[in-house]
Amino acid sequence: MSQDVATSRKLRKVLLATGVGHFVEWFDFGLYGTLAAIIGLQFFHAENPSVALLSSFAVFGAGFIMRPLGGLFFGSMGDRKGRQKVLATVILLTSGATFVMGLLPTYHQIGITATVLLVLTRLVQGFAAGGESSGATTYLAEYAPNNKRGYFTCWIDNFGFMAFVAGSGLVFLLTASLGEEAMSDWGWRIPFLIAGPLGWVGLYLRKHLEDSPEFLEAQQQGQTDATPLRSAVTRAWAALLFCVGFVVLKAVGHWTLQTFMPGYLSTELHYSKLDSYAITTIGLFSVAVLVPFMGYLSDKFGRKPLMLAGCAGFILLSYPAMMLMANGDMLSAVLAMVMLGAFIAAFDGACSAAMAELFPTSVRYGGLSIAYNFSVAFFGGITPWFSAWLITSTGDKFSPAFYVMAAALITFITVMRARETAGKPLKR
């Protein structure tokens, strides 16, 4: 077997194991968002569906409070002990917390204690998720060839969106087969319970990976850092700021499409829950399909053109897209979701590689974790709740578009000021 063939096989194995693990992680994490409207009615004392949805989104945001703490803990561990061990740990924590969520008694059974238990499981999920995206991105970036890093790292986003598609699609199928009443009563538990066996599959795959060649080389040469978080803040502060700016749109765009939209379509635009899940599933699937193509383009033409195009699309067309959804027919809503999905796919296709290329190996996991999770916690975690609050406060059902547009503008300015990094070796 030639060395090129052996290397290609190893890359595919690494991509599969990292991607499947990431799929499991975000299948678990995304279920809450997809089922937010039902969870709101099950775990909160609220007669008004809009108020229940707002409460459910508030708990969704609570999980994001723990992400920076998880990022600090797992990011430091990843730079000191290795990427592979941390990635195996976080998937076990997340899938375990999600499985427990499927067993929780409801507010109607034990009162406020049910709400407290729901919050606690979300906090565990959030803590574990703090080490996932940054770790998986770091791991793949350090394995990928310089001229294909955009393509390889963008599969993280592909697997993440496919997880959202699977979660949304499963909820759609269960709702279609069980009916909305049974789904709201007990069927919502089924997707959460599936998280248990899925987590063991992901854990098995990740435990059989080697660490990245970049980290192993740094370890062998004594170039790892005993205090990577401190070094990231003191020596890579510019990279941290750029990464935070990159993630603003990534966070807001992701959680608008995946978490806010299902409840928004059914509660505010009055689509049936079945139609809402179908529209969301198709939109997320379009993102997953487009992301690898965008990653390839980012290797060919650079990170900045793709990221700027994604930002510009959200700035110019977020409001028209939400107006199109309000037409009330499935085709219009699907077209609007696919259009927004194309913008986030263009951005994501380049963003993962661009973030990893900002940091040197000794602080890459920790630096990415700090910037990514603080930005996601602040901007992404409040997205569903803030979007719902905007509608309630202003009376304008299209007002969430302004939040997305503002996020896109912040990221657009950041990308404009960043250097092009495509095709260059990773920093040592």
Side-chain angles (χ1 to χ4, degrees):
M1 183 187 301
S2 69
Q3 185 175 355
D4 288 345
V5 173
T7 301
S8 180
R9 286 188 177 181
K10 188 169 187 177
L11 282 172
R12 285 198 297 270
K13 177 184 176 183
V14 167
L15 181 61
L16 178 64
T18 309
V20 169
H22 197 68
F23 176 95
V24 173
E25 188 83 16
W26 291 109
F27 174 82
D28 295 352
F29 204 79
L31 281 176
Y32 185 101
T34 304
L35 291 165
I38 292 176
I39 290 172
L41 295 173
Q42 292 291 334
F43 288 91
F44 299 94
H45 182 62
E47 301 297 332
N48 187 325
S50 295
V51 174
L53 182 63
L54 198 61
S55 301
S56 183
F57 282 152
V59 174
F60 177 81
F64 281 80
I65 295 173
M66 295 298 290
R67 286 191 63 151
L69 297 178
L72 292 172
F73 178 79
F74 292 117
S76 176
M77 184 185 296
D79 280 330
R80 289 183 292 109
K81 304 294 185 182
R83 289 56 163 127
Q84 179 268 341
K85 293 177 182 178
V86 175
L87 288 172
T89 302
V90 296
I91 195 173
L92 188 62
L93 281 175
T94 304
S95 58
T98 308
F99 181 80
V100 169
M101 198 175 292
L103 300 174
L104 292 178
T106 66
Y107 185 93
H108 305 291
Q109 294 172 317
I110 61 171
I112 193 67
T113 305
T115 308
V116 173
L117 292 174
L118 177 68
V119 172
L120 289 175
T121 55
R122 282 290 301 156
L123 293 178
V124 173
Q125 270 191 332
F127 184 77
E132 170 58 33
S133 291
S134 50
T137 299
T138 295
Y139 189 74
L140 275 186
E142 292 178 347
Y143 255 108
N146 293 332
N147 63 340
K148 294 183 179 179
R149 192 174 297 119
Y151 177 73
F152 270 90
T153 55
C154 81
W155 281 94
I156 288 296
D157 296 286
N158 172 273
F159 277 99
F161 272 102
M162 286 305 295
F164 294 154
V165 170
S168 180
L170 178 59
V171 170
F172 170 79
L173 291 174
L174 287 171
T175 305
S177 59
L178 299 176
E180 292 190 10
E181 184 176 348
M183 189 66 185
S184 297
D185 186 30
W186 58 270
W188 63 270
R189 296 182 182 274
I190 297 173
F192 289 103
L193 296 176
I194 291 174
L198 279 180
W200 282 108
V201 172
L203 178 64
Y204 174 83
L205 290 172
R206 286 189 169 179
K207 283 179 68 69
H208 288 78
L209 288 176
E210 298 176 358
D211 227 313
S212 74
E214 290 275 337
F215 177 79
L216 292 175
E217 183 178 348
Q219 193 175 49
Q220 290 167 4
Q221 295 179 0
Q223 295 177 345
T224 55
D225 198 316
T227 56
L229 298 183
R230 181 189 302 173
S231 297
V233 173
T234 57
R235 294 194 289 112
W237 59 268
L240 288 172
L241 292 177
F242 275 112
C243 193
V244 167
F246 289 173
V247 177
V248 173
L249 176 59
K250 187 178 178 70
V252 174
H254 277 216
W255 297 112
T256 295
L257 294 182
Q258 193 276 326
T259 303
F260 174 68
M261 281 301 176
Y264 173 72
L265 289 165
S266 61
T267 304
E268 301 296 336
L269 301 186
H270 308 298
Y271 288 90
S272 69
K273 284 189 172 64
L274 194 63
D275 287 347
S276 299
Y277 296 143
I279 293 164
T280 306
T281 301
I282 294 169
L284 296 177
F285 182 74
S286 71
V287 181
V289 170
L290 288 171
V291 161
F293 177 66
M294 299 298 184
Y296 166 79
L297 292 180
S298 81
D299 286 324
K300 190 174 181 64
F301 299 108
R303 315 292 183 226
K304 292 181 67 171
L306 272 294
M307 295 170 75
L308 290 172
C311 292
F314 277 109
I315 293 170
L316 297 173
L317 295 173
S318 290
Y319 199 91
M322 296 191 82
M323 291 181 66
L324 184 61
M325 289 179 185
N327 280 351
D329 64 280
M330 283 280 289
L331 180 59
S332 295
V334 168
L335 286 175
M337 278 289 288
V338 170
M339 180 171 64
L340 294 176
F343 300 146
I344 200 65
F347 187 83
D348 279 358
C351 186
S352 292
M355 292 190 298
E357 289 161 351
L358 290 169
F359 298 96
T361 301
S362 60
V363 299
R364 184 169 293 119
Y365 197 155
L368 238 173
S369 293
I370 294 171
Y372 186 91
N373 287 295
F374 273 90
S375 192
V376 166
F378 185 80
F379 293 100
I382 68 168
T383 292
W385 177 87
F386 187 67
S387 297
W389 177 83
L390 279 174
I391 296 171
T392 303
S393 300
T394 65
D396 180 2
K397 59 187 175 184
F398 307 134
S399 57
F402 294 114
Y403 181 54
V404 179
M405 292 160 67
L409 182 60
I410 292 170
T411 300
F412 186 91
I413 295 170
T414 305
V415 175
M416 283 292 291
R417 297 180 62 85
R419 294 180 179 177
E420 181 59 68
T421 54
K424 299 176 181 178
L426 289 172
K427 295 180 180 180
R428 292 298 181 92

